[in-house]
Structures are given as structure tokens and as C-alpha cells.
Amino acid sequence: MLKKFLITLICLIIAGFLIINKFYPELIQNLNKTKGTSEEKAPVSLEQGKIVANKELPRLGPPGDYKPQGDTVDVELSVWPGYAPLIVANGGLNPNPDSYFFRKHGFKLKIAISEAEAEAWQAINSGKNAISATTVDVLALYANQLKVEVPIQLDFSRGGDGILTRKEINSINQLKGKVLTVAQFTESDFFIRFLAQEAGLQVKPLKGLKDSIDPERVNLLFTETAFDAADAFVESVEKGDQMISGAVTWSPKTIEVPKAYPDKIKLLTSNRNLLVVADILIVNAGFARQNPKIMKGLVEGILMGVEMIRKDPENTLPVVAKAFNMGLEELRESLQDVHLSNHAENMLFFSSEPGQIGSFNELYYSAVYAYGKEVIKDVVAPEKLVNKTYLEELAREGLFQGQTVELAPIKSMEKAEALERNPLLTKQIRFYFDPNTSTLDLTNPTNQQALKDLATLLKISPGSYLLLRGHLDNTKVEEFKQKGEAFYRKQAVRAIEMSKQRAESVKATLLKNYPIDPKRIDTEGRGWDEPLPGAQPEENRRVEVQLFTLE
């Protein structure tokens, strides 16, 4: 009897469940949504599609040599104004007998526009395409897989990339312990890693929304694209959670988002005065070796395209606008975010000569150090990738004779005004001096590297100024106070003077050894008044470096 009752009860329960599922499916859905503990749910209500897992650097297939079809060479590019000279010299995207390349050098280009970066890498490496373009930092990531040659720099990005943050954040240092969204293995990824490194901070790539946040690092949450990074940040702000503090993205998001949320979001910095993102042409190595005449014509044509755009924008820019499927005014506006590199700037960029702009080698190694051995396991020397032969041949022929380096700071305020603002970043450097003097020990390798690093930072930041703030340790302060107020004050003044002299010594050494405008470096002494929390006495014998950029 009991057995029949239990069977009947079970059947009724099953029948009831089936009826509810059929006629009230939304009830079942709501029940399902409430399943699980709070630990199983994402900490914020972000769209899961915008956040992707931290992944390994993609592996490329085997390399191959590109073989042209007749007189036509295959090129693949994305939409970026820095590629305009190549399109102008070709007269558009299609093979063109009236192009500069064909009329002067007898070859044509067939240019395809694509935003599929992973496929583009594989296409040029395997020999499907001959030519593409990328940035120096991204090349550093893939250099140990790619068989390519770099014959020319195309441009410096000057404002296309930027960091959006919540309104209360005023410096890179304040991103410590915060979460930023960024597209992994792009120039945006490098941009924030570089600035964090300069601020003395490390980064933590998060595995996803549920990963623990490191309070001592800048935490990076990855998205598929730079636009997704901005959108995920905006969504976090709109929903009132505090998980995401900023996004590394690029134009037009860097302009549109702060305008849409003026009380909540700001552009912390852009790269218009931080020349860390440089676009370069990359060519399939086998094709380049077998076709030196085409390579020379390619370099010459691009440089001629730069001149054509500068001298006759009215007739050249419509060709680029059509190729990129954008309005002419939109193209003009986007061109403000780049500096197209002429022959003189290329010669300096690929040389080891001192100058006021960053070089290929400096940017390449900046990327290597910013990503670290965890990401770039086998470093390829940059000189193995570059072929300056064609630039040097053009220099001997004098075709671009008289050109000069035209890069200059984009100024929007005077220096005094800039120094009243918060510095973009602050870094602590312990310089070593001869005992009880302000004489910098130039035999010390730590000092030599620190000086080189500061000079490099100024070179790749033409619109920046350094404020060197000298500090001394405070271990004897209590002893001085015990000897009376007058004695203590006298020693405090001496400490300020000594710390100022040490900052001046660093400045003088920089100016003596590197081509730096003295007006770009200020100094001040802080004595023992600002010790680092928890630091050892020797750690407070330091020079604090503050970087101010013009925005």
C-alpha cells in the first residue's frame, strides 16, 4: 500500500513539473537564475561577451616565401591614417598603371583592407601576402616567429591611443591596485605596461572577472578590441560598481567617452606627446631578399606619398578617404592623430645617433622589458629585423635632400602651467653619490642605466618635462632635535641644500651626455621631509622623478 502511494506521489510531482515547464517556462527560468552560491556569480554585472580570458601569445604556422603574380604585389592593411602615403603612391587600393610605383619602378600593389590581425600575421609569414604594417611593440611580441624585414617607418601615433579613467584618478601611480580594461597584445596593452613600468609599478594580467585583484599592481582585464575595453569600462561606471577604474583604448572613444560622461570619466593621458607607438612596414623576408629593386621602389614611393600629402592634400586625401570608406573630413580629423615620417626622420629613427625622438631599438626594447620574459620568451635582436639599405641608397642619391626632422611637442599650455598640474607619473630612483657630497658616481652601472632611462623617456616624450626632486634619509632627525631647535633648523636647511645639489648633479650629467633642452628639466630639494613609508634609510637617499606632459 505504501509503495503504491509513493509511486503515485512521484508521478504527480513529475506531471506537475511538466505542466509548469510547458505553461509557465518563465518560472523555471527564474528558478534557474537563483541557483548557486554568491561565489559562483560574477562580481559585477558586466556583459560577459566583452571580457575575454588572459591567453598565451598566438602561435603562427610555418613561414614561406611570397611569390608575386606578374608585376602585382599583394598588400594587406587595416584602416589607419598612417598608411595613407602607401595608398596615395599607389593611386588607391587596386593595381594601377598610373601609380608612382608602376610609372617609376614597374610594379603595382593590390591592397586589401582587413581588421583581422591574427590572419594578417599568418598571411605575411606564410607567403600569402608580401606586405603589411604593424607597430614596433607588436613586432617585438611576434619577432621570434615572423620572417619579415622592416625597411621603413610609416608614422608616429600622436593621440590615437589613450587611457580613460574615473575622474578622481590623476596619475599612473594612482592606478596601483586598480583594474583597467585593455585589448591584449595590442599597442594599447603596451602603452599601459610601458607607463606602469616607468612609474615603478608591475602589472597583473587577470584571468577573468573572478580573478583576485592584486593591491600592489595595475590589474589588466582583457577584451577582444580596444572599443570593447572602453565599452566595458563605461558599463561599469553606468551600473555604479567600482570594479573597473579605467580603459586603454583609442580614438574616437578617447574623445567620445569623456564628452558623454564629463562628471565621471576623463582622458588621463593620450600618446600625442608620448612617442611610444610607431607604425612600421613589414615585408615577407623571402620576397624582400629576392626583390631588392621592388623594395627600394616601395620605400621611395611611400616617402614620395608623404610629400604628396603634405604638398597637395586636396588632390591626395580623397583617394585615401575612398579606400578607407570614410568621409573626407573624418579622414582629415584622424590624420591629426599621426605624424607621417619623412626620410630625415626615418634615418634618425633607425640609427644609433643621439636625437630628440625615440629610435626603433629603444621602442623595441621598451616593449621587451614592458612585457617581460613571461610573454616574450626568446628575444630577437632588433638589428636582425631592420634593413636600412634602401633609406641609405636614397640618401646617397639625394632625392629627399633638405628634409629635416619636423617632430615637435604639441603644446596646449606653457611649462609653468604644466608643472602646476599633477604629474602623469612619478618614479623613485636611487642614485649613488660619493659619500657626503653631491658628486654623482659615474662609475656606478646603476647610475649609468638610470641616466640612460631618463634620457630615453625624454626622447620618446617630446612634449614632456622632468622635475627632479632630491631626497635624503631622516635617520638623524631625532638626534639633531635633541641638540636644540636652532641646530635642528640649521641641519634641515643643509639637508634641503644637499638634496637640491644632488638633483642638480643628475640634471647636469644628463645635459652633458645627452642632447636635451635644459628647459625640459627642473630641480628642487626636499631634504628629509618626505621619507618613503617603511623604507630603509639608504632607500631615502634618492631622486624622485616626476614626468609632466602637455595635453
Side-chain angles (χ1 to χ4, degrees), residues 345-396:
E345 289 157 348
N346 262 276
M347 292 296 287
L348 183 56
F349 183 73
F350 288 113
S351 77
S352 57
E353 295 298 319
Q356 292 292 339
I357 63 174
S359 69
F360 177 85
N361 284 9
E362 288 167 339
L363 296 187
Y364 185 91
Y365 280 118
S366 292
V368 169
Y369 297 142
Y371 280 105
K373 295 180 179 179
E374 299 82 6
V375 178
I376 304 179
K377 297 178 173 62
D378 300 310
V379 179
V380 175
E383 54 268 22
K384 292 184 177 181
L385 302 168
V386 174
N387 187 345
K388 299 184 291 184
T389 301
Y390 315 111
L391 289 168
E392 292 168 345
E393 286 183 18
L394 292 170
R396 288 192 293 270

Side-chain angles (χ1 to χ4, degrees), residues 353-356 455 459 510-518 520:
E353 295 298 319
Q356 292 292 339
K459 286 177 66 176
L510 276 170
L511 297 179
K512 181 179 179 181
N513 292 280
Y514 299 95
I516 299 171
D517 183 349
R520 297 184 65 194

Side-chain angles (χ1 to χ4, degrees), residues 5 18 86 96 189 209 256 266 272 282 313 355 394 397 416 472 513 519 527:
F5 173 76
L18 292 174
L86 185 68
N96 186 353
D189 194 358
L209 285 167
E256 294 172 349
K266 70 179 180 182
R272 69 177 188 166
I282 55 174
L394 292 170
E397 294 172 4
L472 299 180
N513 292 280
K519 296 178 181 178

Side-chain angles (χ1 to χ4, degrees), residues 413-421 465:
M413 61 182 65
E414 295 299 323
K415 176 184 176 184
E417 294 175 341
L419 292 179
E420 289 174 0
R421 301 167 65 236
Y465 301 92

Side-chain angles (χ1 to χ4, degrees), residues 151-424:
I152 187 172
Q153 180 202 11
L154 300 173
D155 67 86
F156 276 112
S157 175
R158 302 207 68 178
D161 306 274
I163 302 175
L164 301 176
T165 62
R166 293 179 186 265
K167 206 69 172 176
E168 64 271 16
I169 294 174
N170 296 311
S171 73
I172 299 297
N173 300 75
Q174 291 176 0
L175 295 175
K176 179 181 177 180
K178 302 293 194 300
V179 175
L180 274 71
T181 46
V182 61
Q184 192 175 21
F185 303 139
T186 65
E187 54 264 42
S188 293
D189 194 358
F190 165 65
F191 191 45
I192 183 59
R193 288 173 183 263
F194 170 81
L195 289 176
Q197 182 182 49
E198 289 302 316
L201 298 173
Q202 293 181 313
V203 303
K204 178 185 178 180
L206 298 177
K207 297 176 182 178
L209 285 167
K210 297 181 182 180
D211 198 2
S212 61
I213 296 171
D214 191 328
E216 298 298 317
R217 300 189 181 199
V218 180
N219 299 268
L220 303 182
L221 194 60
F222 296 117
T223 58
E224 286 287 353
T225 70
F227 284 2
D228 285 344
D231 292 343
F233 171 45
V234 167
E235 186 181 348
S236 176
V237 171
E238 285 180 338
K239 294 190 174 182
D241 67 65
Q242 295 295 318
M243 181 181 181
I244 299 177
S245 296
V248 194
T249 185
W250 50 60
S251 177
K253 291 289 187 179
T254 52
I255 300 170
E256 294 172 349
V257 172
K259 283 185 178 179
Y261 302 89
D263 297 328
K264 296 181 178 180
I265 298 174
K266 70 179 180 182
L267 177 63
L268 178 64
T269 188
S270 73
N271 64 342
R272 69 177 188 166
N273 279 317
L274 288 165
L275 301 180
V276 296
V277 179
D279 289 280
I280 51 176
L281 201 75
I282 55 174
V283 182
N284 177 273
F287 170 77
R289 286 193 303 269
Q290 296 163 23
N291 297 276
K293 291 184 179 180
I294 292 180
M295 290 297 295
K296 181 185 176 185
L298 184 67
V299 171
E300 180 184 321
I302 292 171
L303 294 173
M304 192 59 67
V306 173
E307 293 301 294
M308 293 163 68
I309 291 172
R310 291 182 179 179
K311 293 178 180 178
D312 191 12
E314 295 301 319
N315 289 316
T316 54
L317 294 187
V319 176
V320 182
K322 180 181 179 182
F324 287 159
N325 193 27
M326 64 170 57
L328 189 56
E329 288 308 309
E330 182 184 0
L331 175 64
R332 291 182 188 276
E333 185 175 348
S334 65
L335 277 168
Q336 295 177 11
D337 288 336
V338 303
H339 177 89
L340 302 177
S341 299
N342 64 21
H343 182 266
E345 289 157 348
N346 262 276
M347 292 296 287
L348 183 56
F349 183 73
F350 288 113
S351 77
S352 57
E353 295 298 319
Q356 292 292 339
I357 63 174
S359 69
F360 177 85
N361 284 9
E362 288 167 339
L363 296 187
Y364 185 91
Y365 280 118
S366 292
V368 169
Y369 297 142
Y371 280 105
K373 295 180 179 179
E374 299 82 6
V375 178
I376 304 179
K377 297 178 173 62
D378 300 310
V379 179
V380 175
E383 54 268 22
K384 292 184 177 181
L385 302 168
V386 174
N387 187 345
K388 299 184 291 184
T389 301
Y390 315 111
L391 289 168
E392 292 168 345
E393 286 183 18
L394 292 170
R396 288 192 293 270
E397 294 172 4
L399 183 59
F400 299 101
Q401 190 173 6
Q403 287 188 352
T404 59
V405 175
E406 299 178 13
L407 274 164
I410 301 175
K411 296 182 179 180
S412 57
M413 61 182 65
E414 295 299 323
K415 176 184 176 184
E417 294 175 341
L419 292 179
E420 289 174 0
R421 301 167 65 236
N422 292 310
L424 174 60

Side-chain angles (χ1 to χ4, degrees), residues 2-232:
L2 179 61
K3 183 176 180 181
K4 289 182 179 180
F5 173 76
L6 291 173
I7 293 173
T8 302
L9 180 62
I10 292 171
C11 290
L12 287 172
I13 292 172
I14 293 173
F17 182 82
L18 292 174
I19 291 170
I20 293 172
N21 188 52
K22 179 176 181 180
F23 295 102
Y24 303 98
E26 68 279 1
L27 178 60
I28 299 298
Q29 291 174 4
N30 290 334
L31 288 171
N32 286 336
K33 287 180 182 178
T34 62
K35 290 194 301 182
T37 64
S38 59
E39 286 77 12
E40 292 172 330
K41 297 176 184 177
V44 291
S45 55
L46 294 173
E47 292 181 18
Q48 296 292 327
K50 294 190 186 305
I51 306 300
V52 298
N54 173 22
K55 56 182 181 291
E56 294 288 328
L57 193 68
R59 299 301 302 175
L60 303 179
D65 293 349
Y66 172 83
K67 303 293 183 183
Q69 300 297 315
D71 58 8
T72 301
V73 179
D74 290 288
V75 182
E76 186 168 274
L77 302 173
S78 60
V79 175
W80 174 246
Y83 307 153
L86 185 68
I87 294 172
V88 167
N90 197 53
L93 300 180
N94 297 320
N96 186 353
D98 293 325
S99 70
Y100 183 89
F101 295 122
F102 189 77
R103 287 186 287 107
K104 183 77 182 288
H105 298 283
F107 68 92
K108 306 168 190 172
L109 298 183
K110 181 181 179 182
I111 304 174
I113 300 296
S114 172
E115 299 298 329
E117 183 174 326
E119 289 81 356
W121 286 118
Q122 185 57 49
I124 193 170
N125 204 46
S126 66
K128 179 181 177 182
N129 289 327
I131 302 164
S132 189
T134 189
T135 54
V136 175
D137 56 281
V138 175
L139 177 65
L141 283 168
Y142 290 92
N144 57 13
Q145 300 185 64
L146 281 172
K147 301 302 180 184
V148 295
E149 184 176 288
V150 180
I152 187 172
Q153 180 202 11
L154 300 173
D155 67 86
F156 276 112
S157 175
R158 302 207 68 178
D161 306 274
I163 302 175
L164 301 176
T165 62
R166 293 179 186 265
K167 206 69 172 176
E168 64 271 16
I169 294 174
N170 296 311
S171 73
I172 299 297
N173 300 75
Q174 291 176 0
L175 295 175
K176 179 181 177 180
K178 302 293 194 300
V179 175
L180 274 71
T181 46
V182 61
Q184 192 175 21
F185 303 139
T186 65
E187 54 264 42
S188 293
D189 194 358
F190 165 65
F191 191 45
I192 183 59
R193 288 173 183 263
F194 170 81
L195 289 176
Q197 182 182 49
E198 289 302 316
L201 298 173
Q202 293 181 313
V203 303
K204 178 185 178 180
L206 298 177
K207 297 176 182 178
L209 285 167
K210 297 181 182 180
D211 198 2
S212 61
I213 296 171
D214 191 328
E216 298 298 317
R217 300 189 181 199
V218 180
N219 299 268
L220 303 182
L221 194 60
F222 296 117
T223 58
E224 286 287 353
T225 70
F227 284 2
D228 285 344
D231 292 343

